[in-house]
């Protein structure tokens, strides 16, 4: 489970994140996580369209959120919700792992 964060005001950070996710997915195709577009409070400075962030997440079978760490506000989710979403994803993976393990010993 990985939290991938890019700066919505910096296209270079988005491009580097694309490369990073691509490399990690090659190493671990089952990698799960969350792509997070940060600095959404700086509406006039945003240079990476949220649609591009969403598409990146979809392309790599990841979830997507938009947030602002500065204001602890967001356009679709707050920082606590990001952590809760990650915790929920981890719990689901844990449950799936337990289920697989229990089948081995039955």
């Amino acid at each position: 489970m990985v939290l991938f964060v890019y700066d919505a005001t910096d296209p270079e950070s988005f491009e580097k994140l694309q490369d990073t996710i691509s490399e990690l997915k090659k190493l671990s195709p089952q990698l799960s996580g969350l792509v997070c577009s940060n600095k959404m409070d700086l509406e006039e400075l945003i240079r990476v369209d949220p649609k591009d962030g969403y598409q990146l997440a979809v392309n790599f079978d990841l979830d997507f959120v938009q947030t602002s760490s500065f204001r602890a506000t967001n356009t679709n989710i707050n920082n606590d919700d990001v952590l809760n979403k990650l915790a929920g994803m981890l719990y689901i993976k844990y449950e799936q792992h337990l289920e697989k393990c229990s089948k081995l010993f039955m």
Side-chain angles (χ1 to χ4, degrees):
M1 182 71 54
V2 180
L3 175 61
F4 297 102
V5 181
Y6 69 91
D7 179 345
T9 68
D10 181 6
E12 187 177 341
S13 84
F14 181 73
E15 292 167 14
K16 287 180 181 179
L17 183 63
Q18 290 180 79
D19 295 340
T20 299
I21 294 173
S22 180
E23 289 301 313
L24 287 173
K25 278 291 203 172
K26 287 177 190 173
L27 296 171
S28 180
Q30 299 303 315
L31 181 74
S32 62
L34 186 63
V35 174
C36 182
S37 176
N38 194 27
K39 297 191 181 179
M40 296 306 293
D41 59 303
L42 303 175
E43 294 176 22
E44 66 283 353
L45 299 177
I46 291 175
R47 294 177 49 209
V48 180
D49 190 319
K51 292 176 187 174
D52 294 333
Y54 174 78
Q55 191 58 54
L56 173 67
V58 168
N59 290 347
F60 288 105
D61 196 27
L62 302 167
D63 288 317
F64 175 74
V65 295
Q66 302 172 66
T67 191
S68 167
S69 296
F70 177 71
R71 290 188 186 164
T73 60
N74 69 352
T75 54
N76 73 341
I77 196 165
N78 67 42
N79 293 331
D80 288 340
D81 288 340
V82 169
L83 295 176
N84 287 334
K85 186 169 182 71
L86 277 174
M89 292 168 73
L90 282 170
Y91 182 75
I92 289 168
K93 291 289 183 186
Y94 174 73
E95 290 274 310
Q96 291 170 345
H97 178 72
L98 284 180
E99 186 178 317
K100 286 179 187 177
C101 289
S102 67
K103 289 179 182 178
L104 291 174
F105 298 105
M106 292 183 154

